[in-house]
């Protein structure tokens, strides 16, 4: 769905380099406005990939790839850059890590990962072909704190997928009443780290109600203070093009618990959100087989995983006829504490 969003925006609207979300402006698509759009030679899409994942622990080994998705031969002389932006409060510095021709791509290894590597990684170009519009790609490498100093959660829903213009409320349970804690967010579409709007502090908790707009895709939320203490993170996805979202637990679930998945469809005209009996569910891009007896479909099209184990951990999404696929969400299963 991310690629579909990119193509839609680049081909039909050439979205301007400045977009606004809750009063903040940020970089999006690189535009060279020195001549009319009709005189541009074309556009180049870039992509960031990471192995094994963007959410890691200190000591893990990570490889970050920056590649061109289209017209590698035509724009083979174009130079791609992998840049890194430090995400520390008051020190958002940017550094070019490596530059190489688009035809070769970039593979950048972090062996091992430390908290110093945490930040925003961007795959873009160096402006060597100004007649080509380039869509840059941003992702954040999140190095987990163990344990986190605060707890982030979705207060209004039991999911982390939402439709554009669907309001949701996030909360952050704080260890004390320290007013210096802030709720932050990272937008992979814009590549920016900003404070969440309208934060309310009450009874050791920060909260913020957010209404995402069309250009959002994946947004990472967390709380932090100037000392560098952080909460866990929540990776919220926005269905900007799709009309289907998946409901799954936003936070890790305990082994042995039952987990219910639900799929929601929003009518394109009325904007009504509803269930659909004819829903299929995938895990790790493979259809879940009901005949295995792990979770029969229920009356409203829900799907229940009975007594989950670590084997149920993975990436889930759903599909509805006429609505398409939802984004994918990670289901995390944690071990039940050993009773003494």
């Amino acid at each position: 769905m991310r690629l579909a969003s990119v193509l839609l925006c680049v081909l039909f609207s050439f979205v301007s380099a400045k977009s606004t979300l809750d009063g903040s402006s940020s970089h999006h698509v690189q535009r060279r406005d020195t001549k009319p759009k009709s005189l541009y030679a074309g556009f180049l899409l870039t992509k960031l990939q990471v192995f094994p994942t963007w959410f890691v622990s200190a000591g893990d080994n990570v490889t970050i790839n920056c590649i061109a998705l289209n017209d590698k031969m035509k724009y083979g002389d174009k130079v791609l850059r992998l840049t890194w932006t430090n995400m520390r409060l008051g020190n958002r510095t940017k550094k070019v890590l490596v530059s190489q021709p688009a035809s070769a791509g970039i593979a950048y290894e972090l062996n091992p990962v430390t908290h110093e590597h945490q930040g925003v990684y961007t795959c873009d170009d160096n402006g060597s072909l100004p007649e080509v519009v380039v869509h840059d790609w941003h992702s954040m490498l999140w190095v987990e704190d163990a344990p986190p100093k605060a707890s982030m959660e979705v207060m209004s829903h039991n999911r982390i997928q939402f439709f554009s213009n669907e309001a949701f409320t996030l909360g952050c349970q704080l260890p004390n009443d320290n007013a210096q804690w802030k709720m932050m967010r990272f937008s992979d579409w814009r590549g920016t780290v900003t404070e969440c709007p309208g934060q309310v502090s009450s009874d050791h908790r920060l909260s913020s109600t957010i209404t995402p707009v069309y250009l959002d895709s994946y947004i990472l939320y967390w709380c932090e203070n100037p000392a560098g203490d952080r909460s866990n993170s929540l990776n919220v996805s926005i269905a900007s093009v799709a009309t289907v979202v998946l409901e799954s637990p936003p936070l890790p679930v305990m082994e042995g618990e039952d987990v219910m998945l639900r799929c929601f469809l929003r009518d394109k005209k009325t904007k009504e959100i509803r269930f659909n009996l004819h829903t299929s569910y995938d895990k790790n891009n493979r259809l879940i087989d009901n005949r295995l007896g792990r979770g029969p479909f229920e009356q409203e099209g829900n799907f229940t995983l009975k007594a989950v184990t670590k084997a149920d951990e993975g990436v889930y999404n759903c599909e509805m006829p006429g609505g398409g696929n939802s984004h994918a969400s990670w289901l995390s299963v944690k071990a039940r504490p050993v009773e003494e």
Side-chain angles (χ1 to χ4, degrees):
M1 296 310 301
R2 171 66 188 268
L3 180 57
S5 302
V6 169
L7 290 169
L8 181 64
C9 293
V10 174
L11 290 173
F12 292 100
S13 60
F14 281 89
V15 179
S16 65
K18 295 288 184 179
S19 294
T20 301
L21 175 63
D22 299 322
S24 62
S25 296
S26 53
H27 177 123
H28 176 203
V29 177
Q30 293 183 349
R31 283 278 302 275
R32 282 88 177 183
D33 290 323
T34 56
K35 52 188 174 182
K37 288 184 294 185
S38 59
L39 298 181
Y40 282 108
F43 66 91
L44 184 67
L45 302 181
T46 65
K47 184 175 183 178
L48 272 175
Q49 297 174 312
V50 68
F51 300 97
T53 176
W54 287 107
F55 298 87
V56 298
S57 300
D60 291 346
N61 294 331
V62 168
T63 300
I64 299 174
N65 294 327
C66 170
I67 61 174
L69 287 178
N70 64 319
D71 292 334
K72 294 182 182 179
M73 299 300 295
K74 183 176 180 180
Y75 304 127
D77 293 333
K78 193 162 190 63
V79 175
L80 290 181
R81 300 185 307 180
L82 178 65
T83 61
W84 168 78
T85 303
N86 188 339
M87 61 173 287
R88 293 194 199 98
L89 280 174
N91 187 25
R92 309 279 192 206
T93 55
K94 187 175 182 178
K95 177 182 178 181
V96 177
L97 299 176
V98 62
S99 296
Q100 282 193 178
S103 56
I106 295 171
Y108 188 77
E109 295 186 354
L110 300 173
N111 300 324
V113 168
T114 71
H115 279 86
E116 296 300 315
H117 294 128
Q118 187 163 255
V120 178
Y121 290 79
T122 300
C123 182
D124 61 6
D125 75 313
N126 67 347
S128 57
L129 291 177
E131 70 277 8
V132 178
V133 177
V134 175
H135 179 274
D136 47 8
W137 189 293
H138 315 277
S139 290
M140 177 179 285
L141 184 69
W142 182 271
V143 184
E144 294 181 345
D145 295 334
K149 298 297 194 305
S151 179
M152 193 82 173
E153 63 179 349
V154 182
M155 298 175 62
S156 56
H157 299 75
N158 186 36
R159 54 185 164 103
I160 52 175
Q161 294 189 17
F162 300 95
F163 298 103
S164 59
N165 298 311
E166 180 188 11
F168 59 91
T169 301
L170 301 179
C172 188
Q173 191 69 36
L174 306 177
N176 51 52
D177 283 326
N178 190 332
Q180 292 183 308
W181 281 85
K182 299 292 183 183
M183 189 181 295
M184 309 297 295
R185 63 184 175 185
F186 163 72
S187 170
D188 72 338
W189 186 256
R190 295 172 171 83
T192 56
V193 174
T194 58
E195 291 186 19
C196 293
Q199 297 182 42
V200 177
S201 179
S202 175
D203 193 24
H204 298 265
R205 181 188 293 272
L206 278 177
S207 63
S208 176
T209 298
I210 296 153
T211 303
V213 297
Y214 178 79
L215 290 179
D216 292 326
S217 49
Y218 288 93
I219 303 180
L220 192 70
Y221 292 89
W222 71 95
C223 291
E224 66 182 21
N225 65 16
D229 298 326
R230 302 183 309 174
S231 69
N232 59 304
S233 62
L234 289 178
N235 192 20
V236 175
S237 62
I238 308 302
S240 55
V241 175
T243 56
V244 173
V245 299
L246 173 70
E247 179 181 272
S248 62
L251 298 174
V253 297
M254 194 76 69
E255 282 185 323
E257 294 181 353
D258 292 348
V259 173
M260 185 176 69
L261 306 178
R262 293 198 295 179
C263 205
F264 294 91
L265 175 71
R266 183 166 72 172
D267 189 276
K268 294 181 179 179
K269 294 182 179 180
T270 66
K271 305 302 180 183
E272 178 188 3
I273 299 175
R274 54 183 173 83
F275 298 108
N276 191 315
L277 294 177
H278 305 290
T279 302
S280 61
Y281 295 86
D282 290 0
K283 176 192 175 187
N284 298 333
N285 295 319
R286 299 186 66 178
L287 181 67
I288 299 175
D289 190 347
N290 290 327
R291 293 172 297 178
L292 297 179
R294 287 303 316 280
F297 283 103
E298 298 170 359
Q299 186 175 0
E300 294 181 334
N302 304 335
F303 189 84
T304 299
L305 297 167
K306 298 289 187 179
V308 295
T309 68
K310 290 293 286 186
D312 292 305
E313 197 170 67
V315 177
Y316 289 82
N317 69 288
C318 64
E319 180 180 3
M320 285 187 179
N325 291 289
S326 70
H327 282 293
S329 285
W330 175 262
L331 176 65
S332 179
V333 180
K334 59 183 179 181
R336 186 174 293 277
V338 178
E339 297 182 0
E340 296 183 358

